[in-house]
Amino acid sequence: MRFIRRRPSERFKAALLPLCASLSGLLASSAAYAARPFFTDDARIVDEKACQIESGIQRENDGTEYRALAGCNFIGNLELTLGGARSNHDGRMRTTDVVVQGKTLFKSLETNGWGAGLTVGNSLNPQIHHGAISNLYATVPVSFSFRNDDLIVHANLGWLREKELGQHRMSWGLASELKLGERFWLIGETFGQNRGRPFYHGGFRYALVPGHVEVDAAYGKRFGSSTEEQWFVIGLRLVSPAFLP
């Protein structure tokens, strides 16, 4: 899943971020699915007939953003996601993003193998956009498994149309998940666009209930920037068993 990163001096110009994962990067059926807080997407989807909810709180210098994303797999190879974000800046709460996304796989990621897929979505800001179509994006995520899934690497290449600026941009991302224990992962990534300096982001993920309940925390910043372009994020991911008809 993707949100647009905002910076104080360029509120509507920042990097497009795949979800959340957002649904951004998520784990055995679900245990191998790269999870929040990645902005780099992965070549995995939630299990067939199952759903997931990802939520997070992101603190920046100029305010706080709250995110929630719900994704379900109804037919086996198509994960549909709907979600949004609300921010609190200068004491004012407002909706900053509404996201609709679909993701499918060309090749499922296997242990010590690789996988690839396609993510297509639309992100709009109700404060500045009119109509249902605004910031369209498409991403090709490719993932590689090493050492029996102890190390998983994700690479992205994508396209973004920023409606308010009338611009088309290329987006990219590179991320890794390093398993340090049965329930603990170190995560890191770098991502950006074909214009401007890229971002980096790192932290950890912990499975309270393996495959079903995960928490994460991470810190991110733009390369070569001041402390104004940094953020802290805490997230929670819930994954259901198969229950859909």
Side-chain angles (χ1 to χ4, degrees):
M1 184 68 221
R2 288 177 176 268
F3 284 103
I4 298 177
R5 285 226 43 79
R6 295 172 180 74
R7 290 288 161 268
S9 61
E10 50 180 309
R11 178 82 51 181
F12 306 113
K13 295 182 184 177
L16 189 66
L17 313 175
L19 39 203
C20 69
S22 262
L23 303 165
S24 23
L26 296 146
L27 307 191
S29 312
S30 9
Y33 192 43
R36 266 199 50 81
F38 274 159
F39 295 129
T40 302
D41 209 354
D42 61 353
R44 293 175 292 205
I45 59 176
V46 71
D47 291 344
E48 184 176 0
K49 306 299 183 181
C51 293
Q52 65 179 357
I53 297 176
E54 292 187 309
S55 59
I57 301 174
Q58 181 166 306
R59 177 63 183 175
E60 303 179 6
N61 286 4
D62 66 332
T64 303
E65 188 173 70
Y66 306 88
R67 303 173 182 174
L69 297 158
C72 294
N73 182 347
F74 294 92
I75 61 174
N77 192 24
L78 179 62
E79 179 184 278
L80 299 176
T81 297
L82 175 65
R86 288 179 63 82
S87 65
N88 187 337
H89 294 275
D90 302 321
R92 297 172 54 197
M93 181 71 75
R94 60 183 182 272
T95 300
T96 54
D97 287 290
V98 177
V99 181
V100 179
Q101 176 181 283
K103 182 164 145 183
T104 189
L105 300 180
F106 305 132
K107 183 181 185 301
S108 298
L109 178 62
E110 299 177 350
T111 299
N112 298 321
W114 64 279
L118 175 65
T119 301
V120 177
N122 177 45
S123 173
L124 65 90
N125 185 321
Q127 308 298 320
I128 61 173
H129 295 146
H130 302 285
I133 305 298
S134 54
N135 293 321
L136 297 173
Y137 61 87
T139 302
V140 176
V142 181
S143 299
F144 303 88
S145 168
F146 303 96
R147 296 168 48 192
N148 298 320
D149 289 340
D150 285 348
L151 174 63
I152 299 179
V153 176
H154 312 292
N156 286 185
L157 187 62
W159 160 85
L160 159 69
R161 186 198 74 167
E162 292 182 297
K163 182 177 180 178
E164 65 272 14
L165 301 177
Q167 295 181 350
H168 297 262
R169 299 192 181 189
M170 181 189 76
S171 62
W172 60 271
L174 183 65
S176 64
E177 308 171 54
L178 178 62
K179 188 174 183 178
L180 298 182
E182 190 62 31
R183 301 188 178 197
F184 189 76
W185 291 261
L186 286 182
I187 54 181
E189 66 178 334
T190 180
F191 58 93
Q193 297 182 351
N194 59 320
R195 303 176 188 176
R197 295 190 303 271
F199 299 88
Y200 65 88
H201 190 218
F204 71 89
R205 182 168 71 246
Y206 183 77
L208 296 173
V209 180
H212 295 285
V213 183
E214 299 172 351
V215 295
D216 57 72
Y219 166 80
K221 191 173 183 289
R222 187 195 289 267
F223 281 101
S225 71
S226 67
T227 56
E228 290 183 349
E229 293 189 288
Q230 66 177 356
W231 68 92
F232 299 88
V233 60
I234 297 175
L236 171 67
R237 177 174 176 253
L238 305 175
V239 182
S240 77
F243 73 96
L244 297 171

